[in-house]
């Protein structure tokens, strides 16, 4: 599966969820379950690649500000939430995590004082497995097929390059690196961007 096809699946599920008023992950599972199991495995492979590409200190720092802290597990969910936000937001975040200061869910989080479940979207991590189970009726079928798929399709994973580490609890450093998000969540300057219309634990390496 090429990357355009992957994003077509995500955007199709987003459109379906908006039209039906249903959770995105549930619509995504339904739509994946209508496809061949090989396609679901290929979707999962692309999802993992995009998810892994967000495993960076600067992205984690953004999640830390938005979430009021961000553990290892929460960062997994946050990266899934960025993917769930669609291709345009994913590209913005990979280029500049500070652009999340304009994300509607980040702004809502700042206004409401509660962490966004949309940006920390745990269920998105399990959509491929849930679709497989819906087809086969077997909760373990995805993982069995995934092990075979990964053995034949990949050579192995390389270590992630997370970039430069820095102290998320240093407000001055966070303001320097993520000025717009710091303006929203730490009350620093400059003025934050507003949304466009359209507890950290110590991070583990690798």
């Amino acid at each position: 599966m090429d990357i355009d096809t992957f994003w077509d699946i995500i955007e199709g599920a987003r459109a379906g969820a908006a039209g039906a008023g249903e959770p995105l992950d549930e619509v995504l599972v339904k739509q994946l379950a209508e496809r061949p199991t090989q396609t679901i495995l290929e979707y999962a492979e692309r999802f993992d690649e995009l998810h892994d590409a967000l495993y960076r200190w600067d992205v984690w720092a953004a999640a830390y500000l938005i979430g009021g802290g961000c553990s290892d597990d929460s960062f997994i969910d946050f990266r899934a939430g960025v993917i769930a936000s669609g291709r345009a937001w994913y590209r913005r975040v990979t280029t500049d995590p500070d652009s999340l200061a304009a994300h509607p869910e980040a702004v809502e989080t700042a206004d409401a004082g509660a962490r966004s479940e949309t940006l920390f979207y745990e269920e998105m991590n399990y959509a491929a497995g849930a679709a497989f189970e819906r087809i086969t009726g077997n909760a373990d079928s995805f993982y069995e097929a995934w092990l075979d798929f990964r053995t034949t399709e990949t050579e192995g994973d390389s270590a992630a390059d997370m970039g430069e580490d820095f102290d998320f609890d240093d407000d001055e450093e966070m303001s320097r690196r993520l000025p717009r998000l710091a303006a929203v969540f730490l009350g620093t300057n400059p003025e934050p961007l507003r949304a466009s219309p359209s507890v950290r634990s110590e991070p583990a390496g690798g």
Side-chain angles (χ1 to χ4, degrees), residues 137-155:
N138 181 354
D140 297 324
S141 60
F142 171 75
Y143 302 101
E144 294 166 356
W146 180 246
L147 286 175
D148 290 339
F149 177 78
R150 293 292 285 175
T151 299
T152 57
E153 296 291 331
T154 66
E155 297 295 329

Side-chain angles (χ1 to χ4, degrees), residues 82-158:
V82 173
I83 295 171
S85 294
R87 187 173 198 164
W89 271 110
Y90 184 89
R91 285 176 167 172
R92 291 177 71 176
V93 173
T94 55
T95 301
D96 177 20
D98 199 32
S99 66
L100 281 164
H103 193 291
E105 293 296 328
V107 172
E108 183 177 329
T109 294
D111 291 343
R115 193 172 81 172
S116 164
E117 293 303 319
T118 300
L119 273 177
F120 291 81
Y121 206 151
E122 179 180 6
E123 292 81 1
M124 285 292 291
N125 293 302
Y126 311 120
F132 234 86
E133 182 177 359
R134 183 168 296 194
I135 293 170
T136 65
N138 181 354
D140 297 324
S141 60
F142 171 75
Y143 302 101
E144 294 166 356
W146 180 246
L147 286 175
D148 290 339
F149 177 78
R150 293 292 285 175
T151 299
T152 57
E153 296 291 331
T154 66
E155 297 295 329
D157 299 322
S158 58

Side-chain angles (χ1 to χ4, degrees), residues 2-64:
D2 62 31
I3 198 64
D4 291 329
T5 301
F6 173 87
W7 283 118
D8 285 346
I9 291 172
I10 294 292
E11 298 298 349
R14 284 170 52 81
E22 297 178 359
L24 171 60
D25 64 289
E26 294 181 9
V27 173
L28 178 59
V29 169
K30 290 177 187 176
Q31 294 186 0
L32 285 174
E34 295 172 354
R35 296 170 179 262
T37 55
Q38 177 70 17
T39 300
I40 299 173
L41 292 167
E42 292 171 359
Y43 161 88
E45 184 178 41
R46 296 286 85 77
F47 181 92
D48 281 359
E49 288 175 358
L50 292 167
H51 195 270
D52 290 348
L54 293 172
Y55 193 69
R56 298 174 2 200
W57 291 115
D58 55 352
V59 178
W60 203 328
Y64 187 82

